Amino acid sequence: MLRPVSLLPALAAAVCLTGLALAGPADAADAPAKAVEATPLAVTIDSLTPSTIPKHGPIEVSGTVTNRDVETWTDVGIYAFVSEEPMTTTAELADAAATDQDAFLGGRILTEGTYHKVDELAPGESAAYSLSIPRSELNADEAGVYWFGVHALGTTDAGTDTFADGRARTFLPLVPRTQRTVQTALVIPIRRQITHAPDGTVGDVASWVDTLGEGGALRSLVDLGVAAGSRPITWLVDPAVPDTVRDLVAGNPARSLGATVDEGTGEDGDGGGDGASETPGSPEPSPSPSEDPGQDGEPSELTPELQQAADEGSAWLEALHGGLEGQQILTLPYGDVDVAAAAAYDPGTYRAARKRSAGDLQPWGLPTSPAASSPSGYIDADGLRLVEPGTTVLVTDRMFRAGAPAVAHTEGHTLAVSSWGAAAGGPGPTDRQAPLALRQRILSEAAVRLLTPAHKPLIVTLPANWSAASGSLAGFFEGLDVDWMELSSLSAATQRAGTDVPVDRLRYPDNQRRLELDAEVFTAAGDLVQAGETLQNLLTRNDQVADVVRDEAFTDTSYSSRLRPEIAQGSADQSRAWIETHLREVRIDAPKAVILSSGSGRFAASITNTLDQAVSVRVRAVADPPLEVAVPAETIEIGPDSRTTVLLNASSSAVGIRNVTLLLTDIDDVPLGSSDDLPIRSNRVSNVIWLIIGTGVALLFGAIVVRLVRRIRKAARP
């Protein structure tokens, strides 16, 4: 008896296949995927051994079947199937991965002993299955990649039919014995969006707990790298990510204005040590935050969320360190700066971020090489020109209009071309990027390359948001240990002549250009950097806060900010406002008015520091001419929560009232935001008046002298 609900997908599949046949290969590739109703039974393939079709011996496959229907299913049979014809090109694999889940791909294997039966499955219930398929049951003799999967068929009150009630599919390569190998480089990215609160603390701690925890993206990627063991892989690391995790391990402290330089010594406040350099903002992992003394000397208490983030982060850093050792490490510009947007609006930001990532990866001192790559694999011509020679540029094969090479040379750069298809994973309806699906797609892409005369290397860059369920990585690398595929580092895979490609042959889609960060984001980040430098210039004993702020600004110009640029711009603006608020805690107060009784005179202004740190400032005076105000030339140092008085000299060559503005600046004469105005009245007498007064005095004394002479003469007469 046929159930109508099962017949509809079959009819839809027939119509779809007919349409694709009429459309032709080119149109089919661009056709939108057809929405297919979920089957009542969900099937997974959790283990597949061996990972390729063997010359002899069975194929062992296991997984689960789950009833997601509201009815109870009985007499559920799990059957394997294999396609009759192999796929031999990457284009065929790409088309196959997009094939509708209800398309007919191959006949089921019904031989006794090759299938599994489940008597009953209640709604929501799952059952494990295990199949062993003899090699003789696989009608596969030609080299290439075959469809392989399992179907679940069961019975309900409505009856049964021959249409699959649940499906799971994957790819299974067949490669005859050969002496040739395909070099395969697996690139594991460590990059993620990083946000900060206005006070510099790491934002969205809950999402960090998720990504660092079991099954999270960052945890899964590190677990995969660790699972490689001694096999060569390549890491693509944004150094800002482990630095941020170290901040979480330290309890997510706010931006510090405290002393980093010992008073009178000019050395770092940590007391020296063994002389090893340490990058600002990347301290050694600290003890558990709950054991760190707080300001009152007692152990600081963390919220449950921060404690969990610290615990997960500590374990993640330890695992990352173990996975990085002995492997090739490529470092992105610090904060994963949007290279294409930086080339258009602020090349200096890219250069500064590139310099920040240079050298060994701290605090472990692991050697690194510079790299440039976007999460999508696209980079435009201007971005290529901005990247320094010798930098590894990792792109996607979708940038090439046809026949993408594994290694390309353009604009003086060597491009490592990653396979987008291999990273996309296997076919549905199950998780396309589950570890087993991804492994089988990588093997299949390598297998079809081996069938071509050039058998070019295969480069696979995993998505930065890739994740795997706990325990699902078992057998991943063991399945890649085949004679005809050689795992290697990216540098080893690209040691070949390569292909010269004109830059106009490279594709940079319009949607990528529309996604680029705009100029306002870079302006906001630049203003934040300037505010951080002013803050450091203000603080007498802090020589690191500018670097910390600069690191935060780099993360605002990240590729990860493309989807929500307003958040990145707002974050930079709010952090700058926080800094400016602290800058204004040092203020200058002028007297209400000053009167000069002569041409010059002195007056006092007070400077108040309400910060709990010592500061160094200068005073600038802006006066209406011809009034001039002389300020102290030396830097003025003020202790924490203190006030001081400075004397200023004013002079004027004219009588009248002139206005003066007193500005407080840092040691580089950058205004801090505090100012005060005062009027100065000059009562200076002019030279003409002094001449008249002098003449009058002279006449007076002259008259006195004449009178005295006359009296003396008169007294001397007989």
Side-chain angles (χ1 to χ4, degrees):
M1 176 180 178
L2 293 180
R3 295 191 304 276
V5 68
S6 299
L7 183 59
L8 290 177
L11 294 175
V15 173
C16 179
L17 290 174
T18 303
L20 293 182
L22 293 174
D27 293 336
D30 296 332
K34 178 175 69 69
V36 179
E37 183 180 355
T39 56
L41 302 179
V43 185
T44 67
I45 299 177
D46 300 330
S47 175
L48 181 62
T49 307
S51 55
T52 62
I53 297 178
K55 186 174 182 180
H56 304 287
I59 295 287
E60 307 284 348
V61 57
S62 63
T64 61
V65 56
T66 302
N67 180 7
R68 54 188 177 191
D69 200 356
V70 295
E71 298 183 69
T72 297
W73 285 74
T74 60
D75 195 26
V76 178
I78 312 296
Y79 304 90
F81 75 87
V82 65
S83 62
E84 296 181 358
E85 300 293 332
M87 295 166 278
T88 58
T89 65
T90 58
E92 287 180 304
L93 289 176
D95 291 342
T99 300
D100 292 328
Q101 68 175 23
D102 53 359
F104 176 80
L105 302 174
R108 302 182 189 116
I109 300 173
L110 305 176
T111 305
E112 187 69 29
T114 63
Y115 53 85
H116 184 97
K117 284 288 186 178
V118 178
D119 293 335
E120 184 177 281
L121 274 179
E125 186 179 4
S126 297
Y129 73 86
S130 179
L131 307 179
S132 180
I133 314 299
R135 176 65 175 86
S136 58
E137 295 291 338
L138 304 178
N139 187 21
D141 299 317
E142 298 181 30
V145 178
Y146 290 82
W147 278 103
F148 180 82
V150 294
H151 286 171
L153 289 85
T155 302
T156 64
D157 292 340
T160 186
D161 57 31
T162 59
F163 291 97
D165 302 303
R167 305 175 181 84
R169 311 176 300 179
T170 189
F171 298 138
L172 193 60
L174 170 60
V175 176
R177 187 178 298 276
T178 177
Q179 298 298 319
R180 298 191 301 170
T181 60
V182 174
Q183 273 189 307
T184 302
L186 184 62
V187 181
I188 300 179
I190 301 296
R191 64 200 315 173
R192 187 187 187 277
Q193 183 175 19
I194 301 171
T195 60
H196 293 91
D199 64 353
T201 54
V202 179
D204 197 7
V205 175
S207 70
W208 283 95
V209 172
D210 291 340
T211 192
L212 295 172
E214 200 73 43
L218 285 180
R219 177 66 177 271
S220 298
L221 289 164
V222 168
D223 286 348
L224 180 64
V226 171
S230 60
R231 300 175 184 87
I233 58 173
T234 299
W235 295 88
L236 182 67
V237 180
D238 171 13
V241 174
D243 282 353
T244 301
V245 176
R246 274 188 283 274
D247 286 340
L248 294 173
V249 172
N252 198 17
R255 190 181 299 115
S256 174
L257 308 185
T260 58
V261 177
D262 286 337
E263 186 174 8
T265 65
E267 296 186 2
D268 289 347
D270 59 5
D274 59 4
S277 63
E278 191 166 304
T279 306
S282 303
E284 289 282 354
S286 57
S288 173
S290 60
E291 301 175 1
D292 287 345
Q295 292 182 351
D296 56 1
E298 296 295 328
S300 59
E301 293 292 336
L302 298 181
T303 64
E305 183 180 67
L306 281 176
Q307 186 62 61
Q308 187 178 4
D311 295 341
E312 298 286 7
S314 181
W316 183 84
L317 286 171
E318 183 178 357
L320 176 64
H321 183 200
L324 291 173
E325 284 190 319
Q327 303 286 12
Q328 182 183 12
I329 306 173
L330 301 175
T331 51
L332 295 163
Y334 198 92
D336 198 12
V337 171
D338 187 335
V339 179
Y345 304 117
D346 190 0
T349 292
Y350 167 80
R351 296 188 185 99
R354 176 79 277 159
K355 183 178 180 180
R356 174 70 173 84
S357 293
D360 294 342
L361 184 63
Q362 299 299 332
W364 303 305
L366 299 175
T368 68
S369 301
S373 174
S374 72
S376 64
Y378 288 101
I379 186 169
D380 68 350
D382 291 336
L384 282 174
R385 298 184 186 102
L386 179 60
V387 173
E388 301 84 348
T391 299
T392 299
V393 181
L394 190 58
V395 300
T396 176
D397 52 7
R398 294 187 294 174
M399 281 190 64
F400 297 82
R401 302 186 184 281
V407 180
H409 302 289
T410 186
E411 291 291 323
H413 291 284
T414 297
L415 310 183
V417 184
S418 181
S419 169
W420 175 83
T430 53
D431 183 1
R432 297 175 184 271
Q433 291 186 334
L436 187 140
L438 183 65
R439 184 193 73 183
Q440 294 305 116
R441 181 64 183 271
I442 292 173
L443 281 169
S444 300
E445 292 286 346
V448 297
R449 279 165 170 76
L450 194 65
L451 299 178
T452 63
H455 58 280
K456 62 185 180 182
L458 172 64
I459 300 172
V460 184
T461 304
L462 268 66
N465 61 351
W466 183 82
S467 62
S470 176
S472 61
L473 294 178
F476 181 89
F477 282 100
E478 289 76 9
L480 297 180
D481 291 335
V482 293
D483 295 339
W484 45 269
M485 193 176 78
E486 176 190 358
L487 281 177
S488 69
S489 65
L490 183 65
S491 60
T494 54
Q495 292 299 317
R496 55 193 290 129
T499 304
D500 291 329
V501 180
V503 71
D504 57 3
R505 183 186 162 190
L506 300 178
R507 294 181 60 249
Y508 191 73
D510 290 339
N511 67 330
Q512 291 294 316
R513 198 169 301 282
R514 288 192 297 269
L515 284 173
E516 290 177 7
L517 295 179
D518 53 29
E520 286 76 9
V521 175
F522 284 88
T523 299
D527 292 342
L528 175 58
V529 171
Q530 179 60 56
E533 292 174 351
T534 302
L535 179 62
Q536 180 169 303
N537 286 339
L538 171 67
L539 299 171
T540 305
R541 296 176 55 200
N542 188 311
D543 64 350
Q544 293 184 7
V545 68
D547 292 330
V548 173
V549 172
R550 183 179 295 108
D551 288 351
E552 296 171 14
F554 287 149
T555 64
D556 291 327
T557 61
S558 169
Y559 276 110
S560 61
S561 299
R562 280 186 166 190
L563 295 180
R564 299 294 299 274
E566 69 280 358
I567 292 180
Q569 183 178 345
S571 173
D573 288 339
Q574 291 169 12
S575 291
R576 176 178 52 80
W578 183 93
I579 292 174
E580 290 175 346
T581 298
H582 284 72
L583 294 178
R584 287 192 292 271
E585 289 193 49
V586 185
R587 68 177 187 272
I588 187 169
D589 295 302
K592 293 184 180 298
V594 172
I595 298 176
L596 301 179
S597 59
S598 62
S600 63
R602 307 181 77 183
F603 67 96
S606 64
I607 303 175
T608 304
N609 173 25
T610 59
L611 294 173
D612 58 0
Q613 303 294 327
V615 298
S616 299
V617 297
R618 289 181 177 174
V619 177
R620 184 198 302 173
V622 179
D624 296 338
L627 180 65
E628 295 181 356
V629 178
V631 299
E634 67 277 2
T635 298
I636 304 166
E637 294 188 5
I638 311 171
D641 294 312
S642 300
R643 176 181 294 181
T644 190
T645 300
V646 294
L647 294 177
L648 300 93
N649 292 315
S651 62
S652 177
S653 60
V655 177
I657 299 176
R658 302 291 187 272
N659 291 320
V660 178
T661 299
L662 300 182
L663 300 169
L664 208 57
T665 73
D666 66 6
I667 59 177
D668 287 340
D669 294 326
V670 177
L672 299 176
S674 175
S675 64
D676 201 2
D677 299 327
L678 75 153
I680 295 181
R681 177 188 294 274
S682 173
N683 292 334
R684 179 169 184 158
V685 183
S686 68
N687 292 332
V688 175
I689 294 177
W690 283 114
L691 179 60
I692 295 173
I693 293 175
T695 302
V697 171
L699 291 175
L700 175 61
F701 280 97
I704 293 173
V705 171
V706 170
R707 288 175 63 88
L708 287 175
V709 171
R710 288 178 178 176
R711 285 184 179 183
I712 293 172
R713 288 180 178 177
K714 183 177 181 180
R717 292 176 183 171

